[in-house]
């Protein structure tokens, strides 16, 4: 048995009741009760396209992406969803590269990015047991390999479980998009089956620390730092692909059919899961003293989307102070991120701008009064409230070398633009950061001097 490290952090009982509806999360007016059926769906359509690659995917590409899973029978697909969760990646015991490559054609293994070896395998048997308790207090045992029982623990089966779950969640979102494009109920049914199965498995999953460098453990406390979580890491605890899949299939008769087949309300465990994730996110933020960082915008945009889908204005309102928290604590008066790295700066403002897009145009439902924060939202516009985001965007575009490559301040990664074009570049004046650059000349004779 591998002992869980002791930490003086919040204990688990606050999460034990995840099997019931966590209505205590919301603090609404006495006259307003969140009801997802009272609004038009999809409610979060404008934040579905979270990445640039999503915006260009055609119906044909989506059909190709889901073809394998659609070709499997329902029980085979549902059999890939486990009552245990897992870890996102490991180091490969063969070559020490990352082990996180999953192929639905071989759903019982994950492969190394570099050497391609598949795990689990006979060369590295998972003969040791890591014991703990899940969020419902049930005992769990996860298998792992360790040389002579010591050193780095390799949880191959746990990585398989994690990769399966996240792959199927992404598939559910793609199927739901196809349903919106085609009105074909087969895609709505398969998407709903996956989302419901994941939601019903959630109360049996464990809080775990999951990082390839810092180790992996089943924890006896609730998530309290960015490396810990249940669905993923804390900043990504809201299962956004499932939120979108639910939203896009919301009006399908499939949900009523599944409720009749299962003898219960199939929507309830799904909405319970989203609310439990929100509860953990809020507790995590309190645990860290309401500090904000470069990962916070990921959380904001996902919570706002979930709040809109659930028709829970308290959930949406709770993120409004987070916008201000990120802006005030992360960006200097020149618009540059406090870490001084163009890479992290770009990541933060990119995600924050999409979080602003998530809440754009939101209006409180009739009869709702925010009794906790006193906020009223009518055609919300966070971009107008925080114009420094546009300044931050301009920095990402301007802080480049003449060949277009971004300036490698601090731990910004080096990426060559892939062009021989030498463009005229403006002077750089980042007063709060203390970085300046003067440019002179044209074309290949351009000189840029940095201080």
């Amino acid at each position: 048995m591998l002992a869980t490290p002791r930490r003086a952090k919040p204990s688990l009982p606050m999460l034990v009741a995840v099997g019931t509806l966590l209505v205590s999360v919301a603090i609404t007016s006495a006259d307003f009760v969140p009801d997802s059926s009272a609004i038009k769906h999809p409610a979060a359509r404008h934040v579905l396209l979270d990445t640039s690659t999503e915006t260009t995917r055609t119906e044909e590409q989506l059909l190709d992406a889901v073809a394998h899973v659609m070709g499997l029978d329902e029980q085979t697909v549902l059999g890939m969803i486990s009552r245990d969760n897992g870890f996102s990646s490991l180091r490969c015991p063969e070559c020490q590269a990352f082990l996180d490559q999953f192929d639905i054609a071989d759903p019982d293994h994950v492969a190394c990015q570099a050497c391609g070896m598949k795990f689990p395998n006979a060369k590295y048997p998972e003969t040791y047991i890591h014991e703990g308790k899940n969020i419902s207090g049930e005992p769990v045992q996860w298998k792992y390999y360790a040389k002579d029982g010591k050193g780095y623990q390799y949880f191959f089966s746990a990585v398989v479980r994690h990769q399966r779950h996240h792959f199927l969640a992404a598939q559910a979102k793609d199927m739901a998009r196809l349903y919106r494009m085609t009105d074909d109920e087969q895609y709505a049914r398969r998407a709903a089956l996956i989302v419901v199965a994941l939601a019903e498995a959630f109360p049996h999953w464990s809080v775990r620390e999951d990082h390839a460098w810092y180790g992996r453990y089943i924890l006896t406390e609730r998530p309290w730092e960015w490396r810990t979580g249940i669905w993923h890491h804390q900043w990504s605890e809201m299962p956004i692909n499932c939120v979108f899949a639910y939203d896009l299939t919301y009006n399908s008769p499939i949900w009523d059919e599944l409720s009749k087949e299962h003898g219960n309300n199939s929507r309830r465990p799904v909405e319970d899961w989203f609310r439990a994730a929100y509860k953990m996110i809020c507790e995590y933020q309190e645990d860290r003293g309401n500090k904000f960082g470069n990962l916070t915008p990921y959380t904001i945009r996902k919570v706002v989307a979930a709040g809109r889908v659930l028709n829970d204005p308290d959930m949406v309102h709770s993120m409004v102070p987070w916008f201000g928290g990120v802006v005030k604590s992360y960006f200097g008066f020149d618009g540059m991120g406090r870490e001084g790295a163009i890479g992290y700066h770009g990541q933060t403002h990119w995600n924050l701008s999409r979080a602003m897009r998530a809440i754009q145009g939101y209006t409180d439902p009739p009869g709702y009064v925010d009794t906790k924060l006193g906020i009223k939202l009518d055609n919300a516009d966070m971009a107008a409230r925080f114009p420094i985001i546009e300044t931050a965007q301009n920095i990402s575009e301007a802080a480049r070398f003449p060949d277009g490559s971004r300036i490698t301040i601090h731990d910004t990664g080096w990426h060559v633009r892939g062009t021989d074009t030498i463009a005229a570049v403006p002077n750089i004046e980042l007063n709060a950061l203390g970085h300046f650059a003067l440019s002179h000349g044209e074309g290949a004779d351009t000189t840029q001097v940095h201080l």
Side-chain angles (χ1 to χ4, degrees):
M1 173 179 174
L2 181 64
T4 301
R6 295 181 179 273
R7 294 188 179 92
K9 293 293 175 182
S11 58
L12 183 61
M14 296 191 72
L15 283 178
V16 171
V18 293
T20 61
L21 187 62
L22 293 172
V23 294
S24 60
V25 172
I27 304 175
T28 60
S29 69
D31 299 325
F32 187 86
V33 177
D35 180 3
S36 61
S37 68
I39 57 173
K40 181 180 178 180
H41 291 271
R45 182 189 302 179
H46 63 293
V47 292
L48 171 62
L49 304 177
D50 257 346
T51 64
S52 57
T53 56
E54 286 287 323
T55 62
T56 58
R57 294 178 73 194
T58 64
E59 180 180 325
E60 183 178 0
Q61 289 173 321
L62 289 169
L63 287 168
D64 183 64
V66 304
H68 188 100
V69 173
M70 289 299 301
L72 301 174
D73 63 81
E74 290 182 356
Q75 292 308 310
T76 298
V77 175
L78 296 179
M80 296 182 193
I81 297 173
S82 173
R83 283 170 63 97
D84 285 318
N85 51 336
F87 298 119
S88 58
S89 66
L90 294 170
R91 292 290 189 181
C92 173
E94 190 75 8
C95 72
Q96 295 304 303
F98 279 108
L99 177 64
D100 62 359
Q101 301 300 293
F102 178 77
D103 186 346
I104 188 59
D106 183 13
D108 296 323
H109 297 90
V110 287
C112 174
Q113 291 180 357
C115 71
M117 180 175 282
K118 293 184 177 182
F119 302 87
N121 61 38
K123 184 175 181 179
Y124 299 101
E126 294 178 293
T127 55
Y128 295 92
I129 300 295
H130 179 34
E131 297 182 326
K133 289 186 178 181
N134 64 27
I135 57 177
S136 293
E138 302 163 336
V140 295
Q141 294 184 335
W142 291 12
K143 298 185 296 182
Y144 69 94
Y145 164 80
K147 186 177 181 180
D148 301 322
K150 301 176 181 179
Y152 193 96
Q153 295 90 38
Y154 297 89
F155 291 86
F156 305 125
S157 296
V159 175
V160 171
R161 294 193 299 268
H162 177 96
Q163 294 294 335
R164 278 180 177 177
H165 292 169
H166 283 256
F167 175 83
L168 289 175
Q171 288 276 288
K173 182 196 68 175
D174 286 348
M175 292 168 185
R177 289 188 64 193
L178 279 169
Y179 170 64
R180 291 290 301 175
M181 292 176 177
T182 65
D183 292 323
D184 191 334
E185 295 293 341
Q186 68 169 328
Y187 298 116
R189 179 177 177 86
R190 188 57 60 92
L193 280 169
I194 291 171
V195 173
V196 171
L198 288 168
E200 290 178 341
F202 170 77
H204 307 285
W205 291 345
S206 303
V207 180
R208 77 282 187 280
E209 180 160 324
D210 179 15
H211 199 283
W213 301 333
Y214 301 108
R216 287 156 207 81
Y217 307 96
I218 300 172
L219 301 176
T220 56
E221 61 233 9
R222 74 178 189 230
W224 60 274
E225 63 173 0
W226 72 270
R227 298 190 298 265
T228 62
I230 299 174
W231 174 243
H232 198 36
H233 296 134
Q234 255 305 310
W235 51 268
S236 195
E237 190 59 46
M238 184 64 71
I240 195 63
N241 283 334
C242 292
V243 171
F244 287 144
Y246 182 54
D247 191 27
L248 290 167
T249 62
Y250 192 96
N251 299 321
S252 170
I254 288 298
W255 286 98
D256 290 334
E257 292 177 18
L258 290 181
S259 295
K260 292 178 181 178
E261 291 175 17
H262 297 172
N264 56 28
N265 184 348
S266 292
R267 296 182 187 273
R268 178 160 181 164
V270 175
E271 296 198 4
D272 283 357
W273 182 18
F274 301 159
R275 292 188 180 282
Y278 172 60
K279 182 175 187 292
M280 287 183 288
I281 287 167
C282 292
E283 290 173 343
Y284 163 66
Q285 183 66 7
E286 292 175 1
D287 292 345
R288 67 196 304 262
N290 285 313
K291 296 179 180 178
F292 301 95
N294 57 33
L295 297 177
T296 305
Y298 285 98
T299 304
I300 296 175
R301 60 192 175 105
K302 293 173 182 179
V303 170
V304 167
R308 299 190 74 148
V309 172
L310 296 175
N311 189 27
D312 189 338
D314 273 344
M315 195 178 291
V316 177
H317 279 221
S318 69
M319 293 295 103
V320 173
W322 291 35
F323 282 103
V326 174
V327 168
K328 294 175 182 177
S329 67
Y330 189 81
F331 297 103
F333 63 80
D334 57 1
M336 181 62 189
R338 68 184 181 211
E339 291 159 307
I342 298 299
Y344 283 123
H345 168 84
Q347 167 189 285
T348 305
H349 85 69
W350 189 92
N351 276 295
L352 192 60
S353 66
R354 275 144 187 81
M356 291 178 173
R357 180 175 151 202
I359 202 172
Q360 183 72 25
Y362 177 81
T363 297
D364 293 333
Y368 170 77
V369 177
D370 185 342
T371 59
K372 182 179 180 180
L373 299 174
I375 295 171
K376 181 177 176 59
L377 293 178
D378 184 6
N379 195 24
D381 187 354
M382 293 297 112
R385 184 177 298 191
F386 301 112
I388 199 169
I389 297 304
E390 183 177 353
T391 304
Q393 170 66 30
N394 294 337
I395 289 174
S396 288
E397 293 302 317
R400 297 184 180 278
F401 294 120
D403 69 350
S405 302
R406 61 187 183 185
I407 296 171
T408 52
I409 304 173
H410 300 319
D411 60 349
T412 300
W414 170 254
H415 297 283
V416 178
R417 264 288 179 91
T419 175
D420 294 329
T421 301
I422 304 298
V425 291
N427 293 336
I428 298 171
E429 300 177 18
L430 299 178
N431 297 279
L433 176 64
H435 188 104
F436 305 88
L438 300 178
S439 300
H440 179 73
E442 298 179 355
D445 294 326
T446 299
T447 299
Q448 190 182 56
V449 181
H450 292 259
L451 173 64

